[in-house]
């Protein structure tokens, strides 16, 4: 009898097993092919359902007789599919985005129940914000994919594009018929260790392994420094998140009620945690705020998951969508670390005849270690590559990936490898790099910069030139660069040649020898504009103002002693040969002269506490600071005993900072002060840069004429504020235009001491006035105030400036209008 019941029990269990159905699959975005996490999957007619995981996967088991399954998620069209009678079924869903519209919610008496949840989450931010940890380390895996999408018909009909598509037709398509075709151009994978220290706040990433493939990518070392996790960090416990150099307000910011509305949608189980599911809506459609869903732990009020999007209505240019999905996990201290993050940035077509761009970033954290803070010297380089970062086997990548590459991603790799070998693609990619960087790589040398190839002005007439430099293929210790030019009107050769020896790449240390002969302009010296080749070329076009021939030799040295602290020093011998009427009173002979020689010893210190520096092949490149200012101190000593015609000292102090003002926008200020000791001709004085053109520039005083003022002691503050959409977004008829208000305030104190008054260009040897020349009153500042509107038709900006002082100076302009074109987000 016992055996009978045992057999009966096993038989019934077998029937149950055979009657149970398992349905699994993956839910993805039909336009991008990316997983959709947290989507709702429901067997219709039952209560059986679940949410997809971070990779978009689901698996349901049921013994009920059901005939269809439904997938839904906010911002996407709901999709239903029929089920078969098979015991194991795989059904993948590709959801298409729907137009997201903000709904109006009406609450009855009492406060919105979501407000109390948000209030408690904000009150407990300090308990979960990882920035409050003394120090921690994480091991991260990051992958980046960049695709061309939304390819227009006219774009595909171009002969160059047809050559590419003809070759790619044989490659596996990235999506099935429910998706849309994309053209991948870049793919990277990076394994790195990230280090954080709280006091002082310092960050560092060591890239252990990196694999980069992309159209136009020649050397992976530079690209690998910016493909790690440090550039893909999104912390919603900050009040403001910086994305694409714009400031977006967090849904749990301290001032949340100013920016957001919320709706309590449901109470759901996420893993083992019971969570509130809240819908988030911007109060103002044009604000830089998120829309989407957040999950908050019921017990702790910690963020569990976020799925947020910047709506199309936000005051942004060219950006069709920014989407951030994140999964957070508590560590032993209770603080939260994002375990997985996925970011999509979709750049729209600039015109109907062009293509769009889609960038996808994925970061997974494998392990988190709480540790004692590392010494500050450890953080000298914000990003560091291990010597063998580019050497890794396929087995290493298979073990390092938190999730294996999908079939779509494998197809992306194949397509990118094929694309970069196509001649027409290489031609266009190298052409774009040539235009952007100024140099065209040809083997071990780079030709350029292209700005030196040709120009025209009233002194040189037609100017032709040619230049080149060595690259990392030639040497990683030597950089040789030079150019030559010839003016067909003045019949003079000009040149600049220098050799740089890189002594230490970790603590950036170089020594450089340089020789030159070039046309310069007083107040627009080539040396001060060396970092802006386009502006330098533009300043040499047309009519040159107070031009002179500068000939000389230079020795430069620089070393970074610790993170952000750079020392520079050197010697410079140069000759000033004016090409305009110029005289000065020689201090020694007390006679008037027109040309002179200088011998200078120079020393400088530069400190940027949180400035991010990368090494671009054989150059040190700054990606700018985050919060702290950049400070520079420079000292120059003019040496008569080493061949100079005069002895003098110059001291200068400079501070630049970008200020995040939250709701009010972003400000930038530059403070510049200096003093020159000794009797010197006015080209050695501080010639304050004016702007006599129609075009706006941040480098000049825009109501000041060229060479209007010079000083031997000065102090200036230049302040610019960008309201973003703060003011104009609140005006009903203006908000649709997406115009943005800007403001300027420039103040200058300066003076010329008695010993240098006679050395200004307004006096010739006979005492006759050659031209008007103003001198600043030390008790009366030069002040100009400006206001304007940017983002007009997405590209144009108009500024209105009022000159508030020195209106009695000849040719003074009390009011000017400046225009400019810019590409901004």
């Amino acid at each position: 009898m016992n055996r009978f019941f045992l057999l009966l029990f096993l038989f019934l269990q077998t029937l149950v097993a055979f009657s149970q159905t398992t349905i699994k699959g993956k839910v993805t975005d039909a336009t991008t092919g990316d997983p959709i996490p947290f989507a709702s999957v429901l067997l219709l007619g039952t209560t059986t359902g679940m949410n997809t995981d971070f990779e978009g996967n689901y698996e349901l088991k049921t013994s009920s007789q059901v005939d269809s399954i439904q997938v839904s998620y906010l911002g996407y069209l709901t999709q239903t599919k029929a089920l078969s009678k098979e015991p194991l079924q795989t059904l993948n869903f590709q959801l298409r985005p729907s137009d997201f519209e903000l709904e109006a919610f009406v609450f009855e008496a009492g406060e919105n129940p979501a407000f109390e949840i948000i209030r408690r989450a904000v009150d407990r931010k300090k308990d979960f914000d990882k920035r409050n940890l003394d120090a921690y380390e994480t091991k991260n895996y990051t992958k980046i994919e960049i695709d061309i999408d939304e390819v227009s018909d006219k774009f595909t009909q171009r002969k160059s594009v047809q050559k590419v598509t003809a070759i790619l037709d044989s490659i596996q398509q990235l999506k099935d018929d429910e998706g849309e075709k994309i053209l991948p151009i870049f793919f990277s994978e990076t394994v790195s260790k990230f280090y954080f220290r709280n006091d002082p706040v310092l960050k560092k990433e060591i890239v252990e392994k990196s694999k980069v493939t992309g159209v136009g990518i020649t050397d992976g070392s530079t690209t690998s420094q910016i493909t790690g996790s440090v550039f893909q960090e999104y912390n919603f416990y900050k009040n403001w998140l910086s994305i694409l150099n714009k400031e977006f307000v967090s849904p749990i910011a301290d001032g949340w009620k100013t920016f957001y509305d919320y709706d309590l949608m449901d109470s759901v189980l996420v893993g083992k945690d019971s969570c509130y599911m809240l819908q988030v809506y911007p109060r103002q459609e044009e604000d830089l705020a998120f829309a989407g869903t957040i999950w908050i732990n019921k017990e702790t009020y910690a963020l569990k998951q976020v799925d947020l999007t910047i709506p199309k209505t936000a005051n942004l240019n060219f950006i069709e969508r920014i989407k951030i999905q994140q999964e957070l996990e508590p560590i032993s201290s209770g603080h939260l670390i994002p375990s997985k993050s996925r970011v999509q940035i979709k750049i729209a077509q600039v015109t109907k005849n062009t293509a769009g761009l889609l960038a996808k970033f994925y970061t997974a954290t494998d392990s988190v270690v709480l540790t004692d803070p590392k010494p500050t010297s450890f953080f000298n380089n914000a990003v560091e590559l291990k010597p063998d970062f580019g050497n890794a086997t396929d087995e290493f990548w298979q073990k390092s990936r938190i999730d294996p590459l999908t079939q779509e991603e494998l197809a992306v790799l194949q397509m990118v490898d094929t694309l970069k070998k196509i001649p027409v693609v290489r031609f266009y990619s190298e052409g774009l790099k040539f235009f952007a960087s100024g140099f065209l790589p040809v083997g071990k040398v780079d030709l350029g910069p292209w700005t030196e190839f040709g120009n025209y002005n009233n002194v040189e007439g037609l100017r032709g030139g040619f230049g080149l430099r060595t690259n990392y293929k030639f040497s990683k210790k030597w950089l040789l660069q030079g150019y030559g030019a010839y003016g067909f009107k003045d019949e003079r050769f000009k040149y600049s040649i220098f050799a740089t020896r890189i002594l230490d790449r970790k603590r950036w240390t170089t020594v450089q020898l340089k020789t030159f002969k070039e046309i310069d302009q007083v107040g627009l010296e080539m040396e001060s504009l060396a970092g802006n080749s386009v502006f330098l070329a533009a300043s040499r076009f047309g009519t040159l103002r107070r031009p002179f021939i500068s000939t000389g030799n230079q020795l430069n040295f620089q070393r970074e002693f610790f993170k952000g602290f750079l020392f520079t020093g050197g010697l410079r011998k140069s000759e000033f040969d004016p090409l305009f009427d110029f005289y000065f009173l020689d201090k020694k002979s007390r006679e008037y002269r027109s040309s002179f020689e200088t011998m200078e010893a120079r020393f400088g210190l530069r400190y940027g506490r949180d400035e991010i520096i990368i090494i671009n092949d054989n150059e040190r490149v700054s990606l700018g600071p985050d919060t702290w200012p950049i400070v520079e101190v420079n000292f120059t000593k003019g040496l008569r005993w080493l061949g100079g015609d005069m002895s003098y000292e110059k001291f200068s102090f400079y501070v630049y900072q970008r200020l995040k003002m939250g709701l009010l926008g972003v400000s930038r200020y530059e403070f510049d002060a200096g003093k020159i000791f000794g009797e010197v001709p006015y080209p050695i004085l501080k010639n304050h840069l004016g702007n006599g053109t129609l075009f706006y520039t941040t480098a000049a005083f825009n109501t000041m004429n060229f060479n209007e003022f010079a000083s031997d002691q000065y102090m200036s503050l230049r302040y610019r504020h960008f309201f973003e959409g703060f003011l104009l977004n609140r005006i009903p008829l203006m908000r649709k235009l997406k115009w943005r208000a800007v403001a300027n305030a420039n103040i200058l104190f300066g003076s010329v001491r008695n010993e240098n008054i006679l050395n200004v260009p307004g006096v010739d040897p006979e005492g006759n006035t050659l031209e008007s020349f103003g001198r600043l009153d030390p008790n009366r500042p030069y002040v100009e105030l400006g206001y304007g509107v940017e983002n007009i038709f997405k590209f144009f900006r108009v500024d209105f400036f009022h000159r508030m002082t020195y209106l009695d100076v000849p040719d003074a302009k009390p009011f000017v209008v400046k225009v400019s074109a810019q590409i901004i987000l």
Side-chain angles (χ1 to χ4, degrees), residues 468-732:
L468 56 82
R469 70 181 181 187
T470 60
N471 55 41
Y472 72 99
K473 294 179 181 178
F474 175 83
S475 174
K476 290 191 175 182
K477 294 185 177 181
W478 285 98
L479 173 62
L480 309 177
Q481 184 172 344
Y483 71 84
Y486 181 77
F488 289 92
K489 181 178 179 180
D490 66 349
E491 298 182 343
R492 286 190 177 98
F493 282 101
K494 295 91 181 176
Y495 59 86
S496 174
I497 303 171
F498 64 82
T500 304
R501 170 69 174 180
I502 302 172
L503 303 174
D504 188 346
R505 299 181 75 93
K506 188 172 183 180
R507 292 190 174 182
W508 189 252
T509 307
T510 66
V511 61
Q512 181 187 87
L513 284 172
K514 181 178 181 179
T515 182
F516 58 90
K517 181 178 182 180
E518 187 53 275
I519 280 192
D520 260 339
Q521 301 171 77
V522 175
L524 282 170
E525 282 80 3
M526 179 178 61
E527 186 177 21
S528 61
L529 299 176
N532 192 332
S533 59
V534 174
F535 184 71
L536 177 61
S539 69
R540 290 181 181 168
F541 182 83
T543 301
L544 303 186
R545 300 164 183 86
R546 297 186 179 172
F548 64 94
I549 297 293
S550 178
T551 307
N553 301 289
Q554 198 166 329
L555 171 66
N556 300 317
F557 173 81
Q558 62 176 328
R559 178 173 175 82
E560 186 178 38
F561 284 97
F562 56 86
K563 178 177 172 52
F565 187 82
L566 185 70
F567 168 81
T568 59
L571 294 171
R572 175 186 169 99
K573 182 176 177 63
S574 62
E575 179 183 349
F576 179 92
D577 184 9
L579 301 177
F580 65 101
D581 291 333
F582 166 75
Y583 302 92
F584 76 99
L585 185 63
D586 185 88
K587 180 179 181 180
K588 186 176 182 180
S589 66
R590 307 312 296 172
E591 295 179 352
Y592 283 97
R593 298 175 52 187
S594 61
S595 63
F596 59 86
E597 292 186 0
T598 60
M599 182 67 183
E600 295 179 338
R602 300 178 173 187
F603 304 95
L605 298 174
R606 186 178 192 275
Y607 181 59
R609 178 172 175 174
D610 60 355
E611 185 178 22
I612 296 178
I613 301 292
I614 67 170
I615 306 303
N616 180 19
D617 295 339
N618 290 334
E619 294 179 317
R620 183 180 186 269
V621 178
S622 170
L623 299 182
D626 180 33
T627 303
W628 292 86
I630 299 292
V631 180
E632 292 185 18
V633 179
N634 293 285
F635 175 76
T636 300
K637 171 68 175 176
L639 305 171
R640 183 190 295 272
W641 56 276
L642 277 179
D645 289 335
M646 59 205 74
S647 179
Y648 56 89
E649 294 82 31
K650 297 170 70 173
F651 174 82
S652 67
F653 176 78
Y654 173 82
V655 179
Y656 163 80
Q657 189 173 13
R658 181 176 183 266
L659 301 173
K660 303 173 184 178
M661 309 293 287
L663 176 65
L664 298 178
V666 177
S667 290
R668 291 179 173 89
Y669 74 84
E670 296 176 76
F671 177 79
D672 191 14
K675 186 166 184 176
I676 300 168
F677 302 88
E679 184 178 334
V680 294
Y682 97 95
I684 297 180
L685 300 181
K686 176 68 173 181
N687 285 267
H688 305 292
L689 185 59
N691 182 11
T693 72
L694 176 65
F695 304 103
Y696 167 74
T697 175
T698 61
F701 291 89
N702 284 277
T703 60
M704 186 185 293
N705 294 315
F706 288 117
N707 302 112
E708 185 174 349
F709 295 105
S711 305
D712 57 15
Q713 46 192 358
Y714 61 91
M715 180 174 61
S716 70
L717 176 65
R718 309 161 60 76
Y719 188 88
R720 294 169 280 150
H721 186 76
F722 305 84
F723 287 96
E724 298 295 348
F726 170 65
L727 294 176
L728 301 184
N729 278 359
R730 270 64 184 172
I731 303 175

Side-chain angles (χ1 to χ4, degrees), residues 724-789:
E724 298 295 348
F726 170 65
L727 294 176
L728 301 184
N729 278 359
R730 270 64 184 172
I731 303 175
L733 296 179
M734 297 289 293
R735 64 177 62 171
K736 298 299 181 183
L737 296 174
K738 295 188 177 181
W739 289 4
R740 305 168 193 168
V742 294
N744 290 269
N746 300 322
I747 304 173
L748 170 65
F749 286 90
S751 64
V752 180
R753 301 193 314 277
N754 291 334
E755 58 263 41
N756 286 319
I757 286 179
L758 295 180
N759 291 338
V760 299
V763 179
D764 69 5
E766 286 74 36
N768 300 316
T769 300
L770 297 175
E771 56 181 298
S772 62
F773 184 81
R775 285 187 290 273
L776 292 166
D777 184 339
N779 299 313
R780 185 164 63 119
Y782 180 93
V783 179
E784 66 179 24
L785 301 177
Y787 51 88
V789 176

Side-chain angles (χ1 to χ4, degrees), residues 111-112 114-123 125 239 249-262 280-283:
E111 186 184 46
N112 181 344
F115 285 2
E116 179 60 22
I117 299 171
I118 295 295
R119 189 177 294 115
R120 293 193 182 188
V122 172
D123 289 342
K125 281 168 61 174
N239 289 327
V249 62
S250 169
I252 57 170
D254 292 338
W256 54 274
K257 209 167 186 178
T258 304
F259 300 95
Y260 286 104
D261 273 328
Y262 305 85
V280 179
Y281 309 90
R283 284 185 176 271

